[in-house]
Amino acid sequence: VLDLRYEAREVEQNVVQQDRNDAWFEAKTRGLTGVAKAKLKQRWGNLQKMFSSKARLGQIVADIVFDMETKPRLHDGRGNAMLVAGSIYQACKFYELFQETELKGKCAIVTSYEPAVGDIRTETVGDDGETEAVEQYEIYMKMLGGKDPKVFEKEVKEKFIKQPEQMKLLIVVDKLLTGFDAPPATYLYIDKSMRDHGLFQAICRVNRLDGEDKEFGYIIDYKDLFRSLENAVADYTSEAFDCYDKEDVSGLLTDRLDKAKEQLEDSLEALRALCEPVAPPKDMVDYYHYFCGANTEAFDLDELEENMPKREQLYNLSATALRAFGEVSGELQEKYHYTMEQIKALEREVTYYIKVRDDVRLASGDYVDLKKYDPDMRHLIDTYLSADPSRVLTSFGEATLVELLVDNGISALKDMPASTPKEQEAVAETIENNIGKEIVERTQSNPKYYEKMSALLRELIEKRKNDVINYEEYLRQIVELARKVHKPESGTEYPPGIRERAAKRAFYDHLNGDTVVANQIYDAVMSSKQDNFRGSKIKERKIWRAIRAVVKDDQEADQLLALVKEQSEF
């Protein structure tokens, strides 16, 4: 596999004409209650919706089109690219925008979505526009051109692999990010929040060998996934979180599991207190009386209005409890030592309050189908959000992170934020992943040496995680380990005469430090090898016999021949 080159880009967005923005929202939501307006803002004010504005997507499309004409392997058609979108709808909007560029006919969407008429039967909302589901369906159907989705996907993937000049870009969401082996794929554009194993699997889509002109795989990151990004979206949509405590919102950025567990316990405690005054036997009609009014057949409007604060509290607390339980439930047993009976009891209680919430919301008339507002909110975002051309945030240039550490030491990390424990952890994991990848790449050339390096890396990771060493000492040791991994010849692990050649070092390590025999094996290979010996049984056998004459053992000769075939100098 190949080294990776990384570049983080940012497409900055701004709200334009704030007064018209607010006026549009108020006009389109006239008649909605305060609760419904807050929910609509929450639905459309999250980062995913903001990042899917037409202006922002258009700037990314312009970036990719520019790269297609200027970047190595893209402009000559020998390589191609993948774009990871944040949602299927966003993938469809990307595709629609690419149809207005030179990539029309040379890009496609590959996702798990299979358009079906039944899915959109209730989605159309008349003359005001269409929901995202309808737009998604129509774009997909136009792309498929009457073909079965599975047949279309198979054809597209085959063309991407075998005819990169004809299928230059695949737009994906979750599919093809693992197990899809396409050597021409050279660039990966990421516009989706990813982390850990999923992120590592995704970036490995572009590190496959593919001819002499593919030297690197390139990662273009629009979500700045390798840094700690905690910027708030400072616009009117922040009001969507008015229903929540400030501490709850800020807590979403740190200590995720601990915060979720705390939220679960606090919200359930608050729900119990809120529902305590409900009259026995606490049937649903008793909840209606308490949260809506005495007359369940025709609620008095004044009573409904008077009881609205209690209902809002019920809606918000039950939603918080459900979200927190979903986030922490998988860790309750192992991390927090809950029994299965306790977990099931929590699940029953959360489910119960969600049913109470849903029934009260329907009975009171608070429930509003927000889907019909989708076209208006999409118009608002596409009209009143502008996007600037992308700018480079972080780039490793023409060097890998391991090379930077070897050449520049700790100063190579100056652009990576590490002022908080969370940021330090993110930097450490990035370094460890890069060193681990290089160890894996080099292991076959000298298994014993790189197995030792792998053990040292695991040991250092354990020290860091268990706070055995401070951060500064960790950095010093990780830089030293990077040097040993990348430039084993620069240390004192090998004697003179062995140190200078990678093949001799591999023989030396395999033979447990036998300098004499390592040199004899090297000389035997040099005197017996012929051009293009790999794959030729006759030529390989000649080398094997020369090695066998030195070690006097068939199995040892087999192992050493396998090692010879991994040495680039031969």
Side-chain angles (χ1 to χ4, degrees), residues 273-286:
L274 175 66
C275 296
E276 169 127 32
V278 176
K282 294 186 185 290
D283 291 332
M284 202 54 65
V285 68
D286 299 314

Side-chain angles (χ1 to χ4, degrees), residues 460-476:
L460 191 51
I461 291 172
E462 284 300 314
K463 286 182 180 179
R464 174 180 66 79
K465 288 184 174 180
N466 295 324
D467 295 325
V468 175
I469 54 176
N470 61 36
Y471 188 64
E472 289 73 19
E473 177 60 19
Y474 162 80
L475 289 180
R476 190 193 67 75

Side-chain angles (χ1 to χ4, degrees), residues 20 73 107 153 172 208 228 350 505 549:
R20 293 175 67 86
R73 285 178 58 84
C107 72
E153 179 181 325
V172 302
R208 301 297 191 266
S228 178
V350 171
R505 295 196 301 271

Side-chain angles (χ1 to χ4, degrees), residues 58-230:
Q59 292 294 348
I60 294 175
V61 167
D63 261 10
I64 295 174
V65 170
F66 179 80
D67 288 351
M68 287 288 177
E69 294 299 323
T70 60
K71 296 295 185 182
R73 285 178 58 84
L74 292 182
H75 68 84
D76 61 11
R78 288 184 50 77
N80 45 25
M82 296 173 70
L83 167 60
V84 187
S87 67
I88 295 173
Y89 173 77
Q90 188 173 319
C92 291
K93 297 305 287 183
F94 269 128
Y95 176 81
E96 190 174 50
L97 290 169
F98 278 117
Q99 299 315 293
E100 302 170 8
T101 73
E102 296 89 334
L103 290 181
K104 180 179 181 181
K106 296 183 178 181
C107 72
I109 312 167
V110 177
T111 70
S112 57
Y113 176 64
E114 294 188 8
V117 175
D119 296 339
I120 62 166
R121 191 169 288 123
T122 61
E123 291 286 338
T124 307
V125 292
D127 297 334
D128 292 333
E130 296 170 330
T131 65
E132 289 186 357
V134 174
E135 275 195 272
Q136 180 176 296
Y137 172 83
E138 291 180 346
I139 292 170
Y140 233 92
M141 290 298 290
K142 186 180 292 186
M143 178 186 72
L144 292 175
K147 292 183 179 178
D148 177 82
K150 289 185 173 60
V151 173
F152 176 82
E153 179 181 325
K154 182 179 179 182
E155 292 177 353
V156 163
K157 286 160 61 177
E158 187 171 351
K159 188 180 286 188
F160 186 78
I161 294 170
K162 296 181 178 179
Q163 297 176 276
E165 75 284 358
Q166 297 301 317
M167 186 52 61
K168 303 194 75 169
L169 179 71
L170 288 185
I171 307 168
V172 302
V173 179
D174 293 310
K175 265 195 162 185
L176 308 190
L177 296 181
T178 60
F180 178 55
D181 195 7
T186 308
Y187 286 76
L188 181 72
Y189 297 89
I190 303 178
D191 192 36
K192 176 183 178 179
S193 294
M194 306 173 74
R195 56 179 295 175
D196 300 334
H197 186 66
L199 176 59
F200 182 75
Q201 287 274 18
I203 65 178
C204 288
R205 294 315 96 205
V206 293
N207 68 355
R208 301 297 191 266
L209 294 166
D210 187 45
E212 293 297 323
D213 64 332
K214 185 178 179 182
E215 297 182 273
F216 307 103
Y218 294 86
I219 308 300
I220 311 297
D221 173 12
Y222 287 97
K223 286 300 181 75
D224 206 7
L225 300 176
F226 290 89
R227 295 163 69 100
S228 178
L229 181 64
E230 299 180 355

Side-chain angles (χ1 to χ4, degrees), residues 418-454:
S419 57
T420 68
K422 282 290 183 185
E423 289 178 345
Q424 290 175 357
E425 183 179 4
V427 171
E429 289 183 356
T430 301
I431 297 170
E432 289 155 6
N433 286 338
N434 276 265
I435 294 176
K437 173 181 173 291
E438 183 146 345
I439 289 173
V440 170
E441 290 172 351
R442 291 170 173 250
T443 293
Q444 294 304 314
S445 66
N446 191 341
K448 287 200 173 180
Y449 181 80
Y450 287 105
E451 283 167 11
K452 185 168 65 174
M453 294 299 103
S454 183

